[in-house]
């Protein structure tokens, strides 16, 4: 039996042998039907990549438990394969096979899928604030009955340091900073041309 030369680690879990690798890279092409009956493509995007590994390992129970803990942790990891370097992978599926021939060896098929991570952003409303008006014709204050926006918490009323930091919008270690984006950027092309009428 020959093995594929690669890093022989799935995240932090070392394995003995990789029997096969299967790589999947898919371009999704979005189509819409038109009046004449044909589908037209309006855009395309890359689907998350998939790596399927058939592995064998001498420490059957230990390796299985380590891979299950990695799967349950939902922490993205990196795999160096024979064809590519995959970052931000999660274990989507694992299936182990036990038989009389392989009673002491773990034979396992592992499906790894790429996770596409993005930053979040905030866009100001096009009317400069909440879109609902109060009964008197003015804008409703954030957190009031006629507003769709939540009120900013007061740091003076916060009970603990973590709550005070959140109320003061202090960025904590490990937090992702949100970036304001132009309100027009998230709207469709037709909305940008014709407006909200």
């Amino acid at each position: 039996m020959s093995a594929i030369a690669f890093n022989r680690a799935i995240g932090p879990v070392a394995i003995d042998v990789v029997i096969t690798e299967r790589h999947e890279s898919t371009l999704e092409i979005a189509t819409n039907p038109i009046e004449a009956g044909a589908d037209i493509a309006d855009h395309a995007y890359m689907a998350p990549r998939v790596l399927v590994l058939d592995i064998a390992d001498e420490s059957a129970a230990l390796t299985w438990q380590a891979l299950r803990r990695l799967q349950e942790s939902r922490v993205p990891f990196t795999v160096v394969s024979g064809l590519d370097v995959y970052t931000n992978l999660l274990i989507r599926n694992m299936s182990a096979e036990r038989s009389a021939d392989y009673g002491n060896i773990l034979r396992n098929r592992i499906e790894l899928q790429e996770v596409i991570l993005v930053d979040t952003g905030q866009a100001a409303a096009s009317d400069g604030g909440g879109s609902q008006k109060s009964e008197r014709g003015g804008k409703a204050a954030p957190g009031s009955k006629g507003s769709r926006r939540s009120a900013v918490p007061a740091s003076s009323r916060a009970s603990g340091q973590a709550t005070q930091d959140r109320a003061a919008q202090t960025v904590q270690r490990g937090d992702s900073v949100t970036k304001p984006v132009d309100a027009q950027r998230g709207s469709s092309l037709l909305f940008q041309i014709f407006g909200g009428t």
Side-chain angles (χ1 to χ4, degrees), residues 129-134 138-151:
S131 59
Q132 290 187 358
K133 309 280 185 190
S134 68
K139 292 182 182 172
S144 66
K145 185 176 181 181
S147 175
R148 292 188 301 183
R149 297 181 296 154
S150 61

Side-chain angles (χ1 to χ4, degrees), residues 1-167:
M1 173 177 11
S2 61
I4 295 171
F6 98 117
N7 192 13
R8 290 202 334 247
I10 298 173
V13 182
I15 54 177
D16 292 338
V17 177
V18 175
I19 301 167
T20 62
E21 288 181 2
R22 191 178 84 227
H23 302 262
E24 296 177 17
S25 181
T26 306
L27 179 68
E28 296 287 345
I29 301 171
T31 58
N32 293 304
I34 59 172
E35 191 172 329
D39 283 345
I40 60 168
D42 60 353
H43 70 283
Y45 59 94
M46 289 301 297
R49 296 184 302 166
V50 175
L51 175 63
V52 180
L53 302 174
D54 285 323
I55 66 165
D57 196 274
E58 185 179 26
S59 306
L62 291 175
T63 303
W64 173 259
Q65 293 301 324
L67 289 169
R68 274 203 45 229
R69 281 194 302 274
L70 178 62
Q71 182 184 33
E72 291 169 358
S73 74
R74 298 182 296 276
V75 175
F77 54 88
T78 300
V79 169
V80 179
S81 72
L83 295 180
D84 207 348
V85 175
Y86 292 85
T87 57
N88 296 326
L89 289 179
L90 291 176
I91 299 174
R92 180 173 65 188
N93 185 28
M94 295 191 318
S95 57
E97 179 183 332
R98 298 292 302 262
S99 67
D101 296 332
Y102 305 108
N104 296 326
I105 296 173
L106 174 68
R107 286 198 48 144
N108 192 1
R109 171 167 283 191
I110 301 173
E111 295 179 25
L112 307 170
Q113 182 173 324
E114 181 181 33
V115 178
I116 299 173
L117 303 174
V118 295
D119 290 334
T120 58
Q122 294 178 339
S126 58
D127 64 355
S131 59
Q132 290 187 358
K133 309 280 185 190
S134 68
E135 295 173 4
R136 296 184 204 148
K139 292 182 182 172
S144 66
K145 185 176 181 181
S147 175
R148 292 188 301 183
R149 297 181 296 154
S150 61
V152 177
S155 59
S156 60
R157 296 179 58 198
S159 59
Q161 183 63 40
T163 310
Q164 288 176 358
D165 288 342
R166 270 191 238 111

